[in-house]
Amino acid sequence: MGLLPEIYDVPMSDSLQTDITNDEQVSLPREYAWDFEKNDFLLKDGKFVIVEGIEALRVWTWKALHTPRFRYDIYDENYGHDIETLIGKNFSYELMEAEIKRFVTECLTRNEYITGITNFSMKKVNKRVSISFTEKTTFDDIDIKDITTDIPI
């Protein structure tokens, strides 16, 4: 007997393996609730509120699209957007829209529950870009409306 424990290959019954796989497939995303108007966590009786499923994805989407990638050490290199790299580019409006759509899609589909976006639209609001789209998820579609980006146009 050595210092380290020995590793034994213990066969699992198919029913147990199926239960584990099914549990992994039905796990729900969870996030702290977000007050989008106040741009702060939603608290109830002084405690953080946790949301699951579609509402958690809505929070995750909003936060990811308001977090530039690589800016904050707390997030890994796969979290956030690259939209700020477009600042100062002299692109036409059509090319800017195509690039922002690409960056948004790349940002969001890093989440295992988000499969893509459709109905993407972009408009100019107070010298900034506001985007709207439908987010395709493994649960249901989510309409995301009027997220203002940091891109001046």
Side-chain angles (χ1 to χ4, degrees):
M1 179 161 190
L3 289 174
L4 300 175
E6 292 186 32
I7 299 173
Y8 297 99
D9 187 20
V10 179
M12 265 195 240
S13 70
D14 289 338
S15 63
L16 181 58
Q17 185 63 41
T18 302
D19 289 345
I20 292 170
T21 304
N22 289 340
D23 287 345
E24 290 172 0
Q25 291 174 351
V26 296
S27 66
L28 289 175
R30 297 179 67 175
E31 289 285 340
Y32 289 108
W34 193 256
D35 185 333
F36 298 104
E37 291 179 15
K38 294 180 181 175
N39 193 25
D40 201 358
F41 290 103
L42 184 62
L43 302 175
K44 183 176 181 180
D45 299 326
K47 296 182 180 177
F48 291 104
V49 176
I50 295 178
V51 293
E52 294 181 332
I54 295 270
E55 190 58 30
L57 288 176
R58 188 180 307 277
V59 170
W60 189 93
T61 297
W62 191 91
K63 287 177 153 184
L65 291 177
H66 283 86
T67 305
R69 200 154 75 119
F70 305 119
R71 182 175 294 172
Y72 305 103
D73 291 336
I74 192 169
Y75 299 117
D76 71 20
E77 66 272 359
N78 291 318
Y79 187 81
H81 65 79
D82 294 317
I83 296 172
E84 284 186 342
T85 62
L86 297 174
I87 293 175
K89 305 287 187 204
N90 194 18
F91 291 155
S92 67
Y93 186 85
E94 292 78 16
L95 181 56
M96 183 74 72
E97 182 176 29
E99 284 296 284
I100 289 175
K101 180 181 179 182
R102 181 174 68 87
F103 286 149
V104 167
T105 302
E106 288 174 358
C107 170
L108 298 180
T109 55
R110 290 183 191 117
N111 185 307
E112 64 182 314
Y113 300 102
I114 301 172
T115 59
I117 65 171
T118 59
N119 304 323
F120 184 87
S121 65
M122 182 175 100
K123 62 185 175 185
K124 185 177 178 181
V125 177
N126 299 328
K127 298 184 180 181
R128 298 279 182 207
V129 172
S130 175
I131 58 175
S132 298
F133 53 90
T134 302
E135 185 173 78
K136 303 300 219 174
T137 76
T138 57
F139 301 104
D140 203 359
D141 294 352
I142 305 172
D143 288 326
I144 305 293
K145 301 286 184 201
D146 301 322
I147 292 184
T148 302
T149 68
D150 295 327
I151 302 297
I153 60 170

